[in-house]
Amino acid sequence: MLKPIISAIETVIRHRQAIESRWQSGHSNARLEGLNSIFQAAKARARGYRNPQTFISMIYLIASPVGNLLKST
């Protein structure tokens, strides 16, 4: 009856450092999911290119506020 509770406590102890790091980082799962969405969109747009630099460039183009910069001029 106590096995699930003991297992949960052992898991928390085993991952204690990662749990503390997450709380100190200030990043929420929603923010990380948003970043993942940007990466997936860039991967779809950069298809056909074999150069990793193209993928990185696509991420910058999608995630950068270039549209906002152009509106301000």
Side-chain angles (χ1 to χ4, degrees), residues 1-31:
M1 183 166 189
L2 291 177
K3 282 187 179 184
I5 295 171
I6 292 171
S7 176
I9 291 171
E10 289 173 347
T11 301
V12 169
I13 290 170
R14 198 169 47 247
H15 297 286
R16 179 179 168 218
Q17 186 175 5
I19 293 169
E20 288 176 359
S21 295
R22 184 267 173 241
W23 284 107
Q24 292 171 358
S25 74
H27 295 295
S28 69
N29 190 42
R31 186 173 185 176

